[in-house]
Amino acid sequence: MFDRLQAVEDRYERLNELLSDPDIVNDSKKLRDYSKEQSDIQETVDAYREYKEVKAQLADAREMLDNEKDPDMHEMVKEEFNSLKEQQEELEERLRILLIPKDPNDNKNVIMEIRGAAGGDEANIFAGDLFRMYSRYAETQNWKIDLMEATPNAMGGFKEVIFMINGQGAYSKFKYENGAHRVQRVPATESQGRIHTSTATVACLPEVEEVDVEIHEKDIRVDTFASSGAGGQSVNTTMSAVRMTHLPTGVVVSMQDERSQIKNREKAMKILRARVADMYMREAQSEIDAVRKSAVGTGDRSERIRTYNYPQNRVTDHRIGLTIQKLDQIVEGKLDEIIEALMLEEQASKLERLNDDA
């Protein structure tokens, strides 16, 4: 572990040199990349330097403890030694956690796509409930919600809703929502009081900047068409709706939420970039996933990850076996208990793998 920490500190010092190099200062991409890399390892370097300082103080205290003859002074040094020993152990544990590989997307905004799946109208109503739940949680974090595309269902909810959550670390919290969500409850339309089971799927994609994934104009086909649905006089009169197809991957995005074709293009491009990056990432990860699954699931959207049981006021996350009897609070956006449990499980799993590889 300490060889790795020393390598991180050496890299930090090298980055200091690079960021002072005039050639780097004049190269905006390298300057941005190196600055981000340095920022990412700053906490680890600070903790490692603190650890080395405590270790040096501990060595001095141990020497004093061996040589001190005065009983009162010996007791005082012993207390200091024990305090330093405790600090050292705490810093070692913190450093182990800091060495866990971080998801490079954690600090990004997140694009979320919710679709009603099995269960007809009730599935679409449930999709709307999930959208409301996530929106309320985002509000508690002071994150901004930008609705990008929505297809409402006549009975309520959405057949599909796509939205972006803008906020530092949004993806780090919402990435665990990838997958199929199941609801068990008596629908409002059920006259016999029978419990129905329905599902909705959730996809969470980190927002991808142009510099993160290269998409060439020649690889995109753009079709325009008249919007359909709510939109006033512009409906079926202006070619404001946009359909983008990424030819190499076959990824298609349609956008008609805005009356302006330019704005629809901008929104469609954000979603297209995120979906293409997600596809490439999944392809690159597929070989690893075949050998070793993550403790919190594969992130596959067909994987059932959670059940919301209304009659028993119960939510169960199947990936970590967590059951909470607070469904009424959770659907109001109080997701912290679930998200923190998933984060801790992932952290423990990564730490275990790190120890195995050491």
Side-chain angles (χ1 to χ4, degrees):
M1 180 175 86
F2 295 105
D3 288 342
R4 290 182 185 175
L5 287 166
Q6 188 57 53
V8 171
E9 186 180 33
D10 292 344
R11 177 58 179 169
Y12 182 87
E13 293 299 335
R14 176 57 180 154
L15 288 167
N16 270 339
E17 296 173 8
L18 289 168
L19 290 169
S20 301
D21 187 328
D23 291 337
I24 300 299
V25 173
N26 293 322
D27 187 326
S28 59
K29 186 179 185 307
K30 285 186 177 179
L31 183 65
R32 189 192 75 139
D33 291 346
Y34 289 149
S35 296
K36 184 179 183 307
E37 183 183 354
Q38 188 184 59
S39 175
D40 288 344
I41 63 176
Q42 179 78 57
E43 185 180 1
T44 304
V45 171
D46 289 345
Y48 179 49
R49 288 173 175 173
E50 184 181 354
Y51 171 83
K52 289 193 291 185
E53 179 64 27
V54 168
K55 188 178 179 182
Q57 291 176 18
L58 193 61
D60 292 342
R62 182 179 285 108
E63 185 177 349
M64 290 176 64
L65 202 59
D66 292 340
N67 298 324
E68 186 57 58
K69 304 300 182 184
D70 182 86
D72 292 338
M73 186 62 71
H74 187 278
E75 187 63 30
M76 189 182 300
V77 174
K78 184 179 179 182
E79 287 182 11
E80 183 185 0
F81 177 86
N82 290 336
S83 175
L84 288 167
K85 187 69 176 173
E86 189 176 324
Q87 286 184 54
Q88 183 188 37
E89 290 171 357
E90 289 174 355
L91 283 166
E92 283 181 1
E93 183 59 30
R94 184 181 167 200
L95 286 166
R96 285 191 188 92
I97 292 171
L98 286 170
L99 279 177
I100 295 173
K102 294 178 176 62
D103 187 332
N105 294 317
D106 274 352
N107 286 330
K108 294 184 177 180
N109 300 328
V110 61
I111 295 173
M112 300 192 72
E113 305 178 4
I114 306 175
R115 295 176 177 85
D121 289 331
E122 175 63 14
N124 296 328
I125 293 170
F126 180 48
D129 293 339
L130 291 175
F131 171 64
R132 179 170 166 270
M133 179 180 76
Y134 294 139
S135 298
R136 293 205 167 184
Y137 177 72
E139 287 168 4
T140 67
Q141 307 298 309
N142 296 315
W143 293 334
K144 180 186 172 186
I145 301 158
D146 180 16
L147 186 63
M148 305 182 80
E149 180 76 346
T151 307
N153 179 55
M155 298 295 292
F158 301 96
K159 294 178 181 177
E160 175 186 71
V161 58
I162 303 173
F163 55 104
M164 179 181 286
I165 296 176
N166 299 277
Q168 183 77 10
Y171 182 73
S172 71
K173 300 290 183 72
F174 282 106
K175 64 183 179 181
Y176 302 106
E177 300 305 301
N178 249 338
H181 295 241
R182 181 174 69 172
V183 63
Q184 295 173 327
R185 63 184 175 190
V186 179
T189 54
E190 171 56 56
S191 59
Q192 303 297 319
R194 292 172 298 188
I195 295 173
H196 286 224
T197 298
S198 306
T199 58
T201 60
V202 176
C204 304
L205 311 175
E207 183 186 16
V208 179
E209 302 292 338
E210 286 186 55
V211 293
D212 295 327
V213 60
E214 192 173 15
I215 295 181
H216 300 287
E217 260 188 63
K218 64 181 178 62
D219 291 333
I220 301 174
R221 186 180 73 236
V222 180
D223 302 306
T224 58
F225 55 97
S227 61
S228 59
Q233 294 180 351
S234 67
V235 175
N236 296 325
T237 61
T238 61
M239 306 294 281
S240 59
V242 172
R243 183 184 298 108
M244 283 188 177
T245 304
H246 185 243
L247 300 175
T249 61
V251 172
V252 179
V253 176
S254 294
M255 181 63 58
Q256 58 177 356
D257 191 55
E258 302 283 350
R259 295 188 182 187
S260 161
Q261 185 184 121
I262 293 174
K263 289 183 178 179
N264 280 328
R265 279 175 177 262
E266 290 174 355
K267 285 188 173 183
M269 194 63 200
K270 280 188 177 183
I271 297 172
L272 184 75
R273 196 178 290 122
R275 287 185 184 173
V276 169
D278 181 61
M279 179 177 286
Y280 288 152
M281 180 192 71
R282 288 175 184 277
E283 287 176 355
Q285 191 70 21
S286 60
E287 292 183 11
I288 298 172
D289 286 343
V291 177
R292 180 175 59 197
K293 288 186 177 182
S294 166
V296 293
T298 62
D300 190 329
R301 285 161 210 155
S302 64
E303 178 186 17
R304 189 190 71 194
I305 64 166
R306 196 175 297 149
T307 295
Y308 305 74
N309 185 297
Y310 275 74
Q312 298 179 26
N313 195 39
R314 184 184 71 222
V315 175
T316 300
D317 194 290
H318 304 290
R319 295 164 293 182
I320 57 175
L322 175 69
T323 295
I324 303 174
Q325 305 288 152
K326 301 176 184 176
L327 184 145
D328 54 335
Q329 297 178 36
I330 288 166
V331 295
E332 290 300 320
K334 296 179 181 178
L335 290 167
D336 285 323
E337 189 172 348
I338 292 179
I339 291 172
E340 286 170 10
L342 289 162
M343 292 176 77
L344 284 171
E345 185 70 25
E346 182 182 46
Q347 188 180 85
S349 176
K350 286 183 175 180
L351 187 58
E352 184 179 346
R353 294 203 298 264
L354 195 66
N355 291 335
D356 289 343
D357 295 339

